[in-house]
Amino acid sequence: MTWQNYLNAWQNADLPDEWQDEIKRVANESERFDGYLTFGTGGMRGKMGVGSKRINLFTIRRVAKGLGEYVVANGGAEKGVAIAYDSRHHSNTFAAETAKVLSALGIRVYLSDAIRPTPALSFCVRERAAFAGVVITASHNPSIYNGFKVYDKNGCQITLEVAEEIAGYLAKITDIFSIPVRELPNLLVTLIGKEMDDAYLKALTEVGSRPDLLADYGNELTICYTPLHGAGKELVMRGLLENGLSNVTLISEQSEPDGDFPTVISPNPEEENSFELAKKQAGKIQADLILATDPDADRLGVAVLNNQNEYQILTGNQLGALLLDYILSAKTQLTEADTMINTIVTGDLGGKIASHFGVSHIQTLTGFKFIGEKIAEMEGTEAKFVFGYEESYGYLIAPFVRDKDAVQAALLTAEMTLFYKKEGTTLLARLQNLYGKFGYHKEHLHTITLENNDGNAKMNQVIELLRKEPTFLSEIVTVEDFLTSTRTNLLTNEVTSVHLPKENVLKFYLADESWFAIRPSGTEPKCKIYFQTIGKTEEIATEAMDNLKKRVLAKWN
């Protein structure tokens, strides 16, 4: 089908006048009608609006029907599907439409009665023993985006195999304007409310390494928290306050849900601008810690005072290493059965910390779903999960959730900060201690935005060139190709296997422990290049990073 075919279907549909008026305004925008958004392991994500390649009521019904047919075919109708949503525009409507479509197929539904974080949905799937879960969210993307993220019965994002099976059902849906729905309320749909929050917060007490510290001294830590207009406010605030951290200031301008995210350029705690208001408020009260969560509260950003009395944002790699070190330091007995999990693009400092404590370290492909899968594989074995994290501000401490969880991470980060404060030191001082022991690790992410098909073609051309000619830097000693599942030692020409699922990712290791990895994004039209350098000092590591970036990025010029 051509884009004109999709446009004609929209023009001929029986739609309200405002929809028809919108179609007339965008009828020349072929990209809007050029097929459907791709459905993958992250579900579906895109811009909202009219058109087959947009997130709207009809494309949500389509993906809900595809999921529903998969659930029915696999005997999951009675176990049901849990549904949650964040603060984005139309998220509540899209959640309700999903419930209507699923219940029309005879599927039991557990529908959130208010906005809730993504980790709360993962918890709900497990708590209700549901067959699957859905979160209506676009995570940290700008306000024009929304999405449909799917979870399996373990509360983990679906695998590639499941995504392909659902995509097969989607391919058979030819008329998105006549999908049956069953109006709400109906007997198959149960609302999920405060009782699920209470159950989650009860489980949250597992997260602390030193709970007595919070009970005795929690009021001595001053915290500023911003939910960035998202869904984190209720659970993060209750999680902190109910565990003894009573001195918490909420950034009022960003405390209420607002799908426009009016006070930030991007509602992403990875971006420095998202901390501006919090830094101003924190500076007035000399807060020890700033916490920021993204719209669906699965990512946590953290800032702390440095020696210049300015708030410094910790990177995901830095906070992950600090949390791991703190967790392992607090344990009285550790064995190789204790296991830390992170990803192939996460910095190496965490692995070195794990090795120092004598615990096992597993790496997965990028995406927390792979960490969740490894946790599930460990069940029933001697292996014990102790911590999981990825560089993109995602952390998991206790596996009652199977996705990154900013609520858990906020509580443990606060406890860790208080512990070091009582010891007369800081997170930054502890980080420098780790660098002194294991080398100064410098990490950087460079993102190339692909505006059109020419951008995609250029990206694929460069990746294929690097795959065929990996020695464009003379210092490269090893190449890992995750598409061919091979690891090649360029000094000996020895080829060994990489035992991970196939993905179009290349990782290049240099002789001095530096590396870079190239990975097309699975959810956005972007190519991401990850870098790491190591030096005895920050200056040495930074100089090495500047040099490596310059030489690698020249390939795109």
Side-chain angles (χ1 to χ4, degrees):
M1 287 179 63
T2 66
W3 73 269
Q4 289 96 341
N5 294 133
Y6 288 100
L7 171 61
N8 289 339
W10 279 80
Q11 290 173 329
N12 295 328
D14 183 16
L15 300 175
D17 290 343
E18 61 266 26
W19 285 75
Q20 293 289 357
D21 292 342
E22 180 70 11
I23 293 169
K24 291 176 183 178
R25 285 195 295 270
V26 302
N28 292 325
E29 297 180 23
S30 60
E31 183 273 332
R32 281 181 180 259
F33 301 95
D34 187 18
Y36 291 107
L37 290 166
T38 300
F39 185 89
T41 56
M44 179 180 77
R45 185 185 302 179
K47 295 178 181 178
M48 290 181 282
V50 166
S52 59
K53 212 166 190 177
R54 290 289 188 269
I55 301 288
N56 53 62
L57 182 146
F58 298 104
T59 56
I60 287 289
R61 285 181 178 176
R62 172 180 178 266
V63 72
K65 181 172 173 58
L67 170 63
E69 291 181 346
Y70 161 79
V71 170
V72 171
N74 286 275
E78 182 57 34
K79 289 186 176 181
V81 177
I83 304 172
Y85 57 94
D86 69 6
S87 61
R88 290 176 180 274
H89 293 307
H90 310 300
S91 283
N92 59 339
T93 299
F94 295 156
E97 291 300 321
T98 301
K100 291 177 185 179
V101 172
L102 294 178
S103 58
L105 291 168
I107 299 169
R108 183 176 299 280
V109 174
Y110 303 101
L111 176 63
S112 181
D113 68 353
I115 62 169
R116 279 189 171 80
T118 287
L121 181 278
S122 175
F123 176 80
C124 181
V125 169
R126 296 174 60 78
E127 185 78 359
R128 283 288 186 266
F131 185 81
V134 171
V135 183
I136 306 297
T137 180
S139 187
H140 56 290
N141 286 88
S143 60
I144 194 172
Y145 285 81
N146 215 323
F148 187 100
K149 188 184 293 187
V150 185
Y151 287 76
D152 65 17
K153 63 183 180 181
N154 294 314
C156 181
Q157 291 182 47
I158 55 172
T159 63
L160 176 60
E161 292 74 20
V162 172
E164 289 177 346
E165 188 172 348
I166 295 172
Y169 287 107
L170 290 173
K172 298 175 183 177
I173 300 173
T174 58
D175 183 2
I176 66 173
F177 301 105
S178 60
I179 293 173
V181 297
R182 185 174 181 178
E183 292 300 327
L184 302 179
N186 68 63
L187 294 178
L188 284 175
V189 178
T190 301
L191 292 181
I192 296 297
K194 183 178 180 297
E195 75 285 351
M196 192 58 63
D197 296 339
D198 293 341
Y200 174 93
L201 290 164
K202 182 179 179 181
L204 189 66
T205 59
E206 300 175 22
V207 166
S209 292
R210 297 178 173 90
D212 291 345
L213 178 70
L214 298 184
D216 295 338
Y217 304 104
N219 64 336
E220 296 183 16
L221 189 74
T222 306
I223 302 171
C224 280
Y225 166 58
T226 172
L228 297 178
H229 306 288
K233 176 182 173 182
E234 178 73 14
L235 286 183
V236 172
M237 286 298 291
R238 285 188 63 187
L240 295 172
L241 295 173
E242 293 177 17
N243 284 280
L245 292 151
S246 57
N247 199 355
V248 184
T249 297
L250 191 64
I251 307 305
S252 59
E253 300 95 326
Q254 298 173 329
S255 66
E256 295 307 311
D258 189 332
D260 287 327
F261 310 114
T263 65
V264 292
I265 297 172
S266 172
N268 183 358
E270 294 178 82
E271 303 290 342
E272 189 167 350
N273 76 81
S274 66
F275 280 84
E276 287 183 3
L277 284 174
K279 283 182 177 181
K280 290 179 182 178
Q281 182 63 36
K284 293 176 182 178
I285 60 176
Q286 287 293 283
D288 299 299
L289 180 66
I290 300 175
L291 303 171
T293 53
D294 68 340
D296 65 327
D298 61 353
R299 299 174 190 241
L300 176 73
V302 168
V304 292
L305 280 172
N306 59 23
N307 291 335
Q308 288 75 47
N309 205 38
E310 298 174 341
Y311 285 97
Q312 179 176 329
I313 300 170
L314 297 176
T315 69
N317 281 305
Q318 289 172 334
L319 182 58
L322 283 166
L323 287 168
L324 174 65
D325 174 66
Y326 177 73
I327 290 168
L328 298 182
S329 297
K331 292 186 179 296
T332 56
Q333 186 175 0
L334 289 165
T335 70
E336 288 187 3
D338 295 298
T339 305
M340 181 273 286
I341 310 174
N342 61 14
T343 75
I344 59 173
V345 298
T346 304
D348 292 340
L349 182 56
K352 293 178 180 179
I353 293 169
S355 179
H356 172 75
F357 281 96
V359 306
S360 296
H361 173 210
I362 296 174
Q363 283 195 307
T364 71
L365 292 179
T366 308
F368 228 89
K369 57 181 169 288
F370 296 111
I371 295 177
E373 286 177 20
K374 287 297 178 184
I375 296 172
E377 289 175 11
M378 290 163 60
E379 293 179 335
T381 72
E382 293 183 358
K384 181 182 179 183
F385 173 77
V386 294
F387 184 57
Y389 75 105
E390 58 184 4
E391 47 75 38
S392 56
Y393 287 49
Y395 320 94
L396 181 65
I397 299 97
F400 60 83
V401 164
R402 295 295 169 84
D403 202 351
K404 51 187 175 286
D405 188 342
V407 184
Q408 289 191 29
L411 178 60
L412 190 65
T413 298
E415 180 190 296
M416 175 174 64
T417 307
L418 177 59
F419 174 77
Y420 290 126
K421 181 177 183 178
K422 297 296 292 182
E423 292 282 305
T425 187
T426 66
L427 294 188
L428 291 176
R430 182 62 181 175
L431 185 61
Q432 290 302 318
N433 180 275
L434 294 173
Y435 287 151
K437 185 179 296 185
F438 301 110
Y440 192 97
H441 289 58
K442 182 83 172 177
E443 299 93 8
H444 177 76
L445 170 62
H446 181 84
T447 301
I448 299 172
T449 300
L450 309 167
E451 295 294 348
N452 49 44
N453 289 334
D454 289 340
N456 278 292
K458 174 68 172 177
M459 176 194 69
N460 291 325
Q461 179 184 359
V462 171
I463 289 177
E464 284 307 310
L465 177 64
L466 296 178
R467 181 169 276 121
K468 294 175 182 177
E469 301 177 14
T471 57
F472 74 100
L473 296 184
S474 60
E475 302 94 327
I476 295 175
V477 295
T478 304
V479 179
E480 289 179 338
D481 187 336
F482 295 91
L483 189 60
T484 61
S485 300
T486 56
R487 180 184 295 108
T488 304
N489 184 321
L490 299 180
L491 302 179
T492 64
N493 290 323
E494 179 185 9
V495 179
T496 56
S497 296
V498 173
H499 300 290
L500 287 173
K502 293 182 182 296
E503 188 171 69
N504 188 21
V505 178
L506 292 171
K507 189 173 183 180
F508 301 84
Y509 296 86
L510 280 61
D512 62 356
E513 290 190 275
S514 299
W515 56 258
F516 62 95
I518 302 173
R519 170 182 169 264
S521 173
T523 57
E524 302 168 271
K526 296 177 179 179
C527 181
K528 297 183 177 181
I529 308 178
Y530 305 80
F531 297 88
Q532 176 189 271
T533 55
I534 303 174
K536 290 184 178 180
T537 66
E538 180 178 4
E539 291 74 19
I540 293 173
T542 300
E543 183 179 355
M545 176 63 73
D546 293 341
N547 181 49
L548 183 60
K549 286 192 300 182
K550 180 179 179 181
R551 298 168 71 195
V552 172
L553 295 179
K555 280 289 180 181
W556 263 264
N557 295 332

